[in-house]
Amino acid sequence: MQVHGSYKMTQIKTILNGILVGMLAGGVVSLFRWGIQHMMAFMQFLYVGGLKQPLLIAAGIGINLMIVLIVGFFLRQQPDIKGSGIPQVEGQLLGEIDYPWWSVLWRKFVGGILAIGSGLYLGREGPSIQLGSTLGQGVAHFTKQVGFDRQVLISSGAAAGLSAAFNAPIASTLFVLEEIYHNFSTNIWVVSLTSAITSDMVATYVFGLKPVLYMKSNPLPLRYFVWVIILGIALGVLGRLYQLVILRVGRWYQQLLRIPWYFQSLLPLILIVPLGAYFPRLLGGGSSIILHLTGAGYSTLVLCLFFLIRFVFSMISYGSGVPGGIFLPILCLGGLIGATIGSVAVEAGWVSQVYFSSFIIMGMAGYFAAISKAPFTAILLITEMVGTLTHLLGLATVSLIAYGVLDLLNGQPVYYSMLQQLLKVKQQYHLGKTVQIMTSVFAGSFMDGKTVSQIPWPQGSLLTKILRNGIEIVPSGHTLLRWGDTLYINVSTKNQHAITVKLTGLSSES
């Protein structure tokens, strides 16, 4: 067994890289947010003003037609800017997908501002994650870092991008661990947290300290938790409906529209004009309507109407393939579900009005927890975005129930399912190449307590290094694996995903 003492210097290097990536991502994503906000305000002025001055509505239509052409041209040149970008990032970290960082970065930036800023029901968070990851890829390119070191920079950039989008550094780090890596490796979370905090500092300097979805609220008392159960069940069922539709809407576009796929945004960008004129508060990702739910006094019927409009047009917007995410739209739909059930409870006199906002907050967390199957991220994300810790028990309960209901309905994590669809389209498997991946040995797993020679390693994989308590070990066939070990494994990029799944099964809890 050989032990190397360079681990601490490596950690310092990765942390410094995380700070650099965080600063870059914070600046770019803050500018991205600023551009979307100002463009959406201008488009909202055109849509609403068009009800009295037809020239304004004509200008809005003209601008949207230009957006169709510009974004369509970008998509044709670089298809990897399509959609939210999160499946692309996951695929890149799995080694199934790769793309030139600069080509994606500037097109995603400009295309995202145009598409989301037009008022389409899309979120900024998915594009922000891809923007951050491409910046991490760019840093790796200029510093000539490859293999696992490159992966770390890409994942830290993803965390930094989400952190700058939502001012939620803890949840952003957890999102990378829970949604992308599916384990809590020290190597990943240290640099991801570093970049996320750095990015959040930059965004906070630009947009201020106020949480993105701050609202006055009172936590729901335990005597009302039967409503949490009802809400969790509703969120799980409707979350499964969301998954079924969002994973099919792209296929429906191809069947209904006889135009090139990269110009399919023509449909939503025409429909957004009347929607923007009559329902201006519903434009964009949904933060505006979320913040006005508590004080607007909408009836249950109106809340149901808003949910239906948001649900249908969110699908139409995302299905067109333009750069834009589903993260914030999911939170908006969850908030509307929570508001609807809360409205029923309040109007019937079963729950006090002072707890109405709790239903909105729990609805957002539960809906995201169900659809993404990332409950820890959902709980922390809403906590950071709302700016209070008092709802943790309700958030945890509703997230667990919604997650369980969706699991019973055979739901899969939506971003993972999107990645599988993307891989079917791309068919991007490379022969003769390898990439380094990392996995942790969990207590009770098949690997725990066995020697290297006793492990049925998948064909196309090679264990090259073990990291144990900060010490690097060069393994031999007699090296005993223990829980807590981090394994560095070279795998063939041919069928890499299948190999990675087998390795994860061997190292995860039985």
Side-chain angles (χ1 to χ4, degrees), residues 120-434:
L120 294 184
Y121 292 9
L122 299 167
R124 64 177 180 263
E125 65 299 317
S128 297
I129 289 172
Q130 191 174 23
L131 289 174
S133 72
T134 54
L135 287 165
Q137 185 182 345
V139 171
H141 171 77
F142 284 111
T143 57
K144 303 188 185 316
Q145 298 187 57
V146 297
F148 178 69
D149 292 335
R150 180 177 182 264
Q151 285 185 314
V152 169
L153 288 174
I154 292 173
S155 59
S156 67
L162 181 57
S163 179
F166 280 161
N167 294 109
I170 309 301
S172 301
T173 303
L174 192 58
F175 178 79
V176 170
L177 299 173
E178 186 177 27
E179 173 64 30
I180 297 178
Y181 276 99
H182 307 291
N183 69 62
F184 290 75
S185 163
T186 302
N187 300 67
I188 299 297
W189 78 253
V190 168
V191 67
S192 295
L193 182 60
T194 301
S195 60
I197 291 174
T198 306
S199 177
D200 182 52
M201 288 180 179
V202 176
T204 298
Y205 178 80
V206 177
F207 297 102
L209 288 169
K210 187 176 180 180
V212 174
L213 294 178
Y214 174 77
M215 62 180 73
K216 294 181 180 179
S217 59
N218 295 289
L220 196 68
L222 283 173
R223 65 180 181 273
Y224 294 134
F225 262 47
V226 64
W227 288 100
V228 178
I229 298 174
I230 295 171
L231 178 60
I233 294 172
L235 292 168
V237 173
L238 291 173
R240 183 59 179 142
L241 174 64
Y242 183 95
Q243 289 186 337
L244 291 172
V245 177
I246 199 74
L247 295 173
R248 289 166 172 78
V249 67
R251 193 186 316 151
W252 296 341
Y253 257 96
Q254 294 175 359
Q255 295 171 351
L256 294 175
L257 294 183
R258 302 299 180 183
I259 58 176
W261 69 269
Y262 40 85
F263 289 137
Q264 289 177 347
S265 60
L266 177 65
L267 176 62
L269 283 168
I270 292 299
L271 293 178
I272 193 63
V273 177
L275 282 172
Y278 291 101
F279 302 100
R281 202 172 293 286
L282 295 182
L283 290 177
S287 58
S288 177
I289 185 62
I290 292 173
L291 293 173
H292 284 82
L293 283 176
T294 55
Y298 297 118
S299 67
T300 303
L301 185 61
V302 170
L303 291 171
C304 290
L305 175 63
F306 283 173
F307 174 80
L308 184 61
I309 294 172
R310 288 282 322 180
F311 186 92
V312 172
F313 202 70
S314 292
M315 300 299 170
I316 294 174
S317 297
Y318 188 80
S320 68
V322 295
I326 59 172
F327 214 122
L328 187 54
I330 287 174
L331 299 185
C332 180
L333 290 171
L336 286 168
I337 295 169
T340 302
I341 293 178
S343 177
V344 171
V346 170
E347 289 179 1
W350 293 320
V351 177
S352 172
Q353 175 69 36
V354 298
Y355 303 119
F356 177 70
S357 57
S358 293
F359 285 87
I360 300 170
I361 293 169
M362 290 187 296
M364 289 190 290
Y367 206 52
F368 181 78
I371 293 172
S372 67
K373 300 198 76 172
F376 289 106
T377 299
I379 294 165
L380 282 179
L381 179 69
I382 300 305
T383 298
E384 289 187 282
M385 292 179 72
V386 174
T388 177
L389 294 170
T390 59
H391 296 277
L392 279 175
L393 181 59
L395 294 178
T397 305
V398 77
S399 297
L400 181 62
I401 294 170
Y403 179 97
V405 170
L406 187 125
D407 211 39
L408 290 173
L409 297 174
N410 298 317
Q412 298 294 325
V414 69
Y415 292 117
Y416 174 82
S417 300
M418 288 178 172
L419 173 60
Q420 299 312 303
Q421 287 187 340
L422 184 63
L423 292 178
K424 288 180 181 178
V425 174
K426 282 183 164 291
Q427 295 293 318
Q428 188 173 345
Y429 296 101
H430 301 290
L431 297 171
K433 295 184 179 180
T434 62

